[in-house]
Amino acid sequence: MPADPRRAPHDWLDHDAGPVVRPYAMTQGRVAPAGGEFDLVAFVVATLPDAAPSPALQPEHHAIVGAAWEPMSVVELASKLDLSIGVVRVLLGDLRSAGLISLYEPPAASQPHDVDVLKAVVNGLRAL
């Protein structure tokens, strides 16, 4: 029986989708970023332009640092690298702990919402 030319030679490689790696394998089972949570609209910026590649970092870590030379939000970064947002959050926590990136949260994300403004918005919507 001839082999299917579209079938990859290994089970971990899918011809159409590329390498199949589970998110928990990239994060080593972790689901929360080191050093605490951050907002998904926070801006990520690489801090060390000439940092030598660390053998402790995975290729995804290096891809994040490479993509973050210009400020980019966490969700944009996940989209650009085609990684799940959960994986990117955990990897960003690693990079932040290593001092390779800085995260800048917008002021609105770190401040509680003003109840009076929210009530005014609801009243305005009801008036429509």
Side-chain angles (χ1 to χ4, degrees):
M1 180 163 116
D4 183 3
R6 294 181 346 122
R7 179 157 164 69
H10 303 288
D11 291 337
W12 53 266
L13 184 65
D14 182 333
H15 179 72
D16 295 326
V20 178
V21 178
R22 300 283 183 222
Y24 62 82
M26 284 186 244
T27 63
Q28 294 144 2
R30 297 170 296 149
V31 294
E37 298 289 325
F38 46 84
D39 200 279
L40 297 179
V41 295
F43 284 99
V44 179
V45 181
T47 57
L48 298 173
D50 296 327
S54 170
L57 297 179
Q58 300 173 18
E60 292 81 12
H61 286 109
H62 293 290
I64 289 171
V65 172
W69 289 118
E70 304 231 351
M72 183 179 297
S73 72
V74 174
V75 292
E76 287 175 310
L77 194 57
S79 175
K80 181 176 183 174
L81 298 176
D82 197 25
L83 293 171
S84 74
I85 195 71
V87 169
V88 170
R89 288 175 54 239
V90 171
L91 298 179
L92 285 173
D94 297 343
L95 293 170
R96 179 175 55 183
S97 295
L100 296 174
I101 61 158
S102 292
L103 287 164
Y104 299 98
E105 293 197 40
S110 60
Q111 297 174 355
H113 299 292
D114 186 359
V115 175
D116 294 331
V117 172
L118 293 175
K119 286 181 182 179
V121 169
V122 169
N123 290 336
L125 290 172
R126 285 183 183 153
L128 294 175

